[in-house]
Amino acid sequence: MYYVAHRLFAAHDRALAALLADRLALKLGEDQVFLPFCDTDEEDLVADLKGQRLFELDRDRLRRIRALIAIVHGPSPDDGVCMEIGYAAALGAPVILLTTDFQDYSTALHGPHTVFPDPLLDTLATRIIRFPRLGTPTEPQGGSRFADFAARNHTQTQHALNACVDAVLQLPTRPPTTPSPSRDTDTVFAEPSPYTPPHTRFPGLPHATDSTIRVPTRFAAADPITAARHDWAAALRSTHIIVDASGPETPPGAALLIGAACATGQPAVMYLPRSTYTHASGREPNYRNLMIQYSAVALRTPSEVTTWIRA
């Protein structure tokens, strides 16, 4: 099963993912490609807890994937997609990331650049398919300059989709093997949110436990890619993971780790003192992307964080 992950909440993102899935299906067969929203019948599905049921359907596909192909754009990558990337990577499945974002990112003004805002995304990718520039201008076709600009964007998109399909076809045909991570005793990996001031992160955590507290190093490292590899390994070796999910949506690193913990059965929670609820037809209110909400329990107060760590 080849799983196409994409942001669900805008028609143009769904359309782009559908084009990619269709091209993959022509090469691999329709029964070999899974497209969320489309294949979970999201708009018409009826369930007592529709959001939870959608999560369960997508998670069941994630457990059986041969590879994950994710569309990732912009400085705020979709947290549901990041959860799916973390899930796939923790299972050892190849991860292909497709982007037409023309920006690079860095954690310091003059620091090394990465393709994605969190270097952990660069690290987990088996391949990055990137087409950051518009298609070559063509002779005007008699339309407006806007129509010509749309044509250049269309050309860029077509090249990106074709390159992505080629990358999938070049993957090994053998199924991924699920790693069996060994855990270090009494360790907690604490992933902060970039939206939370340092002095308010995980209140009470340093004094809540005798466990070893591990924190990420990639955001201040001279070599963020190498540091991101170390962060990933340290998180997966820890006995527990806690992430700060604060922000307009769950930060990419937090979502990646939630996905990894969900895939491997690692105890994980998210600290979320405040949230914005989303509402969709026929679905229960969600305080986070449903792939995040149903993967990890939310802790709302410092005392809940302390209690969880001590348990």
Side-chain angles (χ1 to χ4, degrees):
M1 178 75 68
Y2 294 83
Y3 189 115
V4 179
H6 62 99
R7 189 183 293 271
L8 299 178
F9 308 110
H12 55 82
D13 289 313
R14 295 193 297 272
L16 178 59
L19 288 173
L20 175 56
D22 186 55
R23 294 193 184 196
L24 288 171
L26 288 174
K27 299 291 186 179
L28 302 168
E30 283 198 27
D31 60 338
Q32 293 299 309
V33 181
F34 174 73
L35 181 64
F37 201 102
C38 171
D39 291 334
T40 52
D41 193 24
E42 182 154 339
E43 195 160 72
D44 298 319
L45 178 70
V46 176
D48 291 339
L49 291 173
K50 180 176 178 178
Q52 183 173 358
R53 182 58 182 152
L54 290 167
F55 163 77
E56 292 167 349
L57 291 169
D58 289 349
R59 182 196 56 195
D60 290 346
R61 272 31 176 255
L62 283 168
R63 287 174 174 164
R64 298 182 279 117
I65 62 172
R66 300 288 289 272
L68 182 133
I69 306 94
I71 300 171
V72 182
H73 285 126
S76 181
D78 182 77
D79 48 359
V81 171
C82 287
M83 179 272 176
E84 292 163 328
I85 292 169
Y87 195 109
L91 292 182
V95 174
I96 294 177
L97 302 185
L98 171 63
T99 184
T100 59
D101 190 351
F102 57 83
Q103 302 175 117
D104 288 336
Y105 298 88
S106 66
T107 56
L109 180 60
H110 301 294
H113 292 193
T114 55
V115 176
F116 301 105
D118 190 324
L120 195 52
L121 278 165
D122 295 64
T123 300
L124 297 182
T126 306
R127 286 279 305 275
I128 297 174
I129 305 301
R130 189 181 193 198
F131 277 79
R133 300 186 64 82
L134 297 173
T136 303
T138 59
E139 290 296 323
Q141 302 298 311
S144 70
R145 67 182 186 276
F146 308 118
D148 293 339
F149 181 66
R152 294 182 65 189
N153 278 276
H154 179 73
T155 299
Q156 178 188 27
T157 300
Q158 298 308 309
H159 289 328
L161 293 175
N162 290 337
C164 193
V165 171
D166 289 342
V168 172
L169 296 177
Q170 293 166 15
L171 291 173
T173 56
R174 63 183 183 275
T177 56
T178 302
S180 300
S182 57
R183 310 282 190 218
D184 297 335
T185 305
D186 292 331
T187 50
V188 177
F189 191 91
E191 172 79 12
S193 168
Y195 302 106
T196 302
H199 66 280
T200 64
R201 291 173 177 170
F202 303 118
L205 180 59
H207 310 291
T209 179
D210 293 329
S211 299
T212 300
I213 306 297
R214 294 170 170 167
V215 296
T217 61
R218 62 191 182 277
F219 297 112
D223 182 354
I225 297 297
T226 298
R229 292 193 187 99
H230 292 161
D231 289 348
W232 180 253
L236 267 59
R237 287 199 315 270
S238 299
T239 50
H240 297 77
I241 291 177
I242 181 170
V243 304
D244 188 339
S246 300
E249 57 188 332
T250 308
L256 291 164
L257 293 179
I258 286 173
C262 184
T264 61
Q266 189 176 17
V269 295
M270 54 180 161
Y271 177 55
L272 188 63
R274 181 182 178 275
S275 187
T276 300
Y277 287 85
T278 59
H279 307 267
S281 177
R283 193 182 76 192
E284 70 277 17
N286 292 130
Y287 56 80
R288 267 298 179 252
N289 183 297
L290 60 89
M291 297 302 290
I292 299 293
Q293 175 168 331
Y294 294 110
S295 294
V297 174
L299 306 179
R300 301 291 186 172
T301 66
S303 62
E304 289 179 328
V305 174
T306 302
T307 299
W308 183 79
I309 292 295
R310 286 176 174 167

